[in-house]
Amino acid sequence: MKTTRDLKISSIHSKISYKTLLFGIILSIFLVPQIAFADVFIPTNEYTGYYDYQGIFTVVGNVKNQNDFALIPTITISVIDDATKITKELVHVPIPAMTDIPFKIKFPDIRGENPELLDAELSYTKTEKDRIPIQIIYDKTLITHDDGHVTGKIENVGNHTVYNPKVYAIVHGYEKFILDVAHNIEPIEKIEPGQILDFTIYPDPSVSEPVRFYSCFAPVDTTVIPVTVKKNDGDFDFRYDSGAWYSAAKFDESGTTMTIKGYNSYPLDTYANFEFAPISGNEKFSITIDDEPIEFIQSIDEMGFWHVAFTVGPQSQGILKISGFDEGLPPELPTIPAWIKQNADWWATEQISDSEFLEGIDFLLKKQIVSVPTREIVSESQWRIPAWVQTPASWWYEEKISDEQFLNIIENLVERKIIII
């Protein structure tokens, strides 16, 4: 197997003319068979499987949404391994209208020499999701390097900050149309309006065929992976965001320690951020990898969820063990964070300003707790809310109206531009 140093790669700008690229696009539209619906599909030439650097069978592909609405696809992938059919289901990130976003899923339990990847099955649910205002800058700064990685720049062309964006791309070869789906492995905390930031993407080191070019760059702001694991005779749901991959989560009998296998195929450090619903709210976690303690940060977010974050070493794998969970299962958390409800009371009694209260409403919009089909985003200095909205805000704090009723009021007022934010 060739190493990344052995790869001989040329830039897309020097190897592919615009006519060649256009011809390839026409072929992919008219001649390539497609999987699933005509309006939501995975092109067969953008769907493949391979063994990664850690020996884990990996399936990559690209979901294209040609509808005029956003959706959340569910991808069912099956692999025949030594006459045994192994199936996994992936709930993909929301895909805005007329957009495509690649995916990657791993099968650690596949061991055969020649696993057979079957056609994927697709279903979806409609959702509301606008394109994030991040663009790849297609100029001389977008470079495919000799060792197979690509560097470039992204720009926030919108008027609001985007938090935790990630850039996905399809990696193409000469003999194989698709080699891998990869993304930046160094986290981007946020990108402000008008800001330009660098990004770097590496293919999996197992890719032995020279990289030809990268395509289908897809900036996303929702990259967390949901996981459900059995805990104390119930289902415990959690999420993680990482440049590494985690699988086979399991709790011990007490329900206080979780183990999960981790893999980082890439030649650089990456990150992991796990999100857990609190049980008592007093949890104090500890983390080991292969029974060796590691440094991590424990924090709590605005919604009241715990986060544990740490660095993952390059080309590493091991058993992650997180201890410190309370026994039992989490209680149902309120849809709206308590601090926003408290702000409603303070604003209704004129203890805080309009802008301080609207920061909470803006949070609900960004988290899609409040959903508005058409929303004109303006600068903070242009935020506006009528004083009479203090009355329903006060009713909500006093529990004279429900969370759902209050959210409906806010959605209606934002959509009608009575509240501007």
Side-chain angles (χ1 to χ4, degrees):
M1 179 181 295
K2 297 180 182 179
T3 67
T4 52
R5 292 184 180 179
D6 296 325
L7 300 179
K8 296 180 180 179
I9 301 100
S10 299
S11 169
I12 180 175
H13 304 290
S14 62
K15 284 292 185 184
I16 299 178
S17 68
Y18 288 110
K19 289 183 179 179
T20 303
L21 183 60
L22 180 60
F23 180 68
I25 292 172
I26 292 171
L27 281 177
S28 68
I29 293 174
F30 293 102
L31 301 181
V32 176
Q34 297 164 353
I35 299 170
F37 312 103
D39 51 359
V40 183
F41 61 92
I42 302 171
T44 54
N45 66 343
E46 295 181 4
Y47 178 64
T48 192
Y50 66 91
Y51 279 105
D52 72 5
Y53 183 80
Q54 312 295 38
I56 307 299
F57 189 72
T58 304
V59 177
V60 297
N62 189 32
V63 181
K64 294 180 178 290
N65 175 18
Q66 296 188 341
N67 289 288
D68 58 0
F69 55 82
L71 53 85
I72 301 174
T74 297
I75 310 165
T76 303
I77 298 172
S78 297
V79 181
I80 304 296
D81 181 41
D82 292 335
T84 301
K85 184 177 180 180
I86 299 173
T87 299
K88 286 185 179 291
E89 190 174 87
L90 171 68
V91 179
H92 202 17
V93 299
I95 304 182
M98 306 305 296
T99 303
D100 54 296
I101 297 179
F103 67 89
K104 176 181 287 191
I105 185 170
K106 294 183 181 287
F107 289 74
D109 39 357
I110 290 179
R111 293 287 184 266
E113 292 185 5
N114 297 298
E116 179 188 357
L117 176 62
L118 304 182
D119 289 346
E121 298 176 11
L122 273 179
S123 62
Y124 66 82
T125 57
K126 291 185 179 181
T127 188
E128 293 177 0
K129 177 69 174 178
D130 295 328
R131 292 189 183 189
I132 67 171
I134 294 178
Q135 290 184 357
I136 307 297
I137 298 177
Y138 290 95
D139 61 13
K140 62 182 180 181
T141 62
L142 186 63
I143 303 170
T144 303
H145 297 266
D146 287 346
D147 66 353
H149 80 281
V150 67
T151 55
K153 296 180 181 293
I154 56 173
E155 180 180 8
N156 184 344
V157 296
N159 54 13
H160 68 276
T161 302
V162 178
Y163 293 91
N164 304 308
K166 190 175 286 185
V167 182
Y168 281 82
I170 294 178
V171 187
H172 296 271
Y174 287 89
E175 296 180 10
K176 291 181 65 177
F177 187 77
I178 177 173
L179 300 176
D180 192 15
V181 165
H183 60 75
N184 59 298
I185 58 175
E186 296 176 335
I188 301 172
E189 181 182 350
K190 62 180 178 179
I191 180 168
E192 304 283 359
Q195 188 176 15
I196 296 175
L197 295 177
D198 296 324
F199 71 89
T200 302
I201 297 177
Y202 277 86
D204 190 279
S206 67
V207 171
S208 58
E209 183 181 336
V211 173
R212 188 181 184 189
F213 66 96
Y214 287 73
S215 75
C216 299
F217 289 94
V220 298
D221 61 352
T222 306
T223 59
V224 293
I225 297 175
V227 182
T228 299
V229 61
K230 292 296 181 181
K231 180 182 189 297
N232 296 130
D233 299 321
D235 289 335
F236 180 79
D237 298 320
F238 70 94
R239 310 191 305 170
Y240 76 87
D241 179 27
S242 179
W245 181 267
Y246 292 90
S247 67
K250 183 172 66 174
F251 272 96
D252 63 1
E253 289 186 5
S254 67
T256 60
T257 298
M258 183 183 72
T259 57
I260 187 169
K261 295 179 181 178
Y263 316 87
N264 176 22
S265 298
Y266 297 101
L268 297 175
D269 283 343
T270 187
Y271 67 97
N273 182 1
F274 283 76
E275 176 189 284
F276 305 116
I279 296 174
S280 70
N282 298 313
E283 291 90 344
K284 186 176 181 180
F285 298 106
S286 62
I287 300 181
T288 63
I289 294 180
D290 292 336
D291 296 324
E292 292 293 327
I294 65 168
E295 293 185 1
F296 69 97
I297 297 173
Q298 178 177 342
S299 60
I300 195 164
D301 66 19
E302 302 97 326
M303 295 294 294
F305 286 85
W306 286 117
H307 289 258
V308 292
F310 51 91
T311 299
V312 182
Q315 295 182 340
S316 60
Q317 60 180 310
I319 302 298
L320 176 70
K321 184 181 294 183
I322 303 177
S323 303
F325 292 92
D326 290 328
E327 293 184 6
L329 297 170
E332 185 175 348
L333 294 177
T335 303
I336 305 176
W339 63 271
I340 294 180
K341 198 165 189 175
Q342 181 62 70
N343 277 3
D345 177 54
W346 288 341
W347 178 64
T349 55
E350 300 184 350
Q351 297 180 58
I352 61 173
S353 66
D354 288 0
S355 61
E356 288 175 297
F357 174 64
L358 286 173
E359 285 177 0
I361 304 304
D362 187 50
F363 174 85
L364 296 177
L365 289 162
K366 287 178 178 177
K367 294 291 185 180
Q368 297 188 338
I369 297 170
V370 171
S371 182
V372 180
T374 56
R375 176 193 175 201
E376 181 182 352
I377 302 173
V378 299
S379 64
E380 199 167 321
S381 61
Q382 296 175 289
W383 286 2
R384 187 174 74 239
I385 184 169
W388 57 262
V389 180
Q390 290 177 344
T391 299
S394 178
W395 290 344
W396 177 49
Y397 179 76
E398 295 170 1
E399 298 186 352
K400 293 179 180 177
I401 59 175
S402 66
D403 287 357
E404 184 178 0
Q405 289 172 314
F406 179 72
L407 291 178
N408 287 338
I409 291 170
I410 296 301
E411 286 176 359
N412 181 268
L413 295 179
V414 172
E415 191 169 356
R416 292 166 57 194
K417 298 184 180 180
I418 294 171
I419 293 177
I420 296 177
I421 190 168

